[in-house]
Amino acid sequence: MTKHLTTIDATTCGHACACGDASAEPLIGRRQFVAFGAVALAAAALAACSAGSDLTSPGTVSATSFKLSDFPTLGTVGGVTTTTVGGVPLAIVRTGTSSFSAFSRICPHQGSTINVTSSGFLCPNHGATFNASGQWVGGQRTSNLTSYPVAYDSAAGTLTVGS
Ligand code: FES
């Protein structure tokens, strides 16, 4: 007896393949197919909620320039702003009068997007914490944040992140 993979939209033989084989036996029925699909969707949703996005930070980002004046929080030392370069969520920190750091905000643990706090960064997924230098300092054990070079042109008032 022939077995067919599809059973929905039955036509001639009761199968989507329209082979005309009246003796064909479906592998699974429509109700089984729908139930299996619902279970698969629920499992996928649960995995997405519990495991972060599984994104990883690229080793480099393309050099991208910004006007410093577009980020008022970087007007003072210790200020932090967030932006995106090439689809990578970043944090830029003013570390001195003419020095800046940039970090990926993709958590090195399982890829959630980390948030800025008063003392650094916090991952909302499992609680990894990082200081303002991007170093892991507590919570879920993981590595430091990926950092990217920042060039500051004081004459032009621009920051160039990446290389
Ligand atoms: S994804 Fe687990 S601590 Fe960030």
Side-chain angles (χ1 to χ4, degrees):
M1 178 175 295
T2 306
K3 293 191 181 284
H4 296 263
L5 294 176
T6 55
T7 60
I8 299 172
D9 297 327
T11 54
T12 309
C13 68
H15 301 89
C17 61
C19 66
D21 182 357
S23 67
E25 178 180 293
L27 288 177
I28 61 172
R30 183 174 185 278
R31 286 185 183 177
Q32 290 170 306
F33 178 81
V34 170
F36 178 79
V39 170
L41 284 174
L46 183 61
C49 288
S50 63
S53 64
D54 287 332
L55 292 175
T56 56
S57 299
T60 59
V61 291
S62 297
T64 304
S65 294
F66 302 94
K67 284 184 179 177
L68 184 58
S69 60
D70 288 342
F71 300 115
T73 56
L74 294 180
T76 56
V77 174
V80 182
T81 194
T82 60
T83 188
T84 300
V85 171
V88 178
L90 299 180
I92 302 173
V93 181
R94 186 163 198 160
T95 57
T97 53
S98 59
S99 59
F100 297 82
S101 296
F103 305 102
S104 169
R105 292 174 54 228
I106 298 173
C107 183
H109 178 230
Q110 288 185 344
S112 294
T113 302
I114 63 168
N115 298 319
V116 175
T117 67
S118 60
S119 59
F121 307 98
L122 169 66
C123 179
N125 201 3
H126 307 111
T129 56
F130 308 86
N131 64 21
S133 298
Q135 296 171 317
W136 175 84
V137 292
Q140 171 65 51
R141 183 168 291 280
T142 188
S143 56
N144 298 332
L145 299 179
T146 299
S147 64
Y148 303 107
V150 182
Y152 174 47
D153 183 335
S154 59
T158 58
L159 296 174
T160 301
V161 177
S163 55

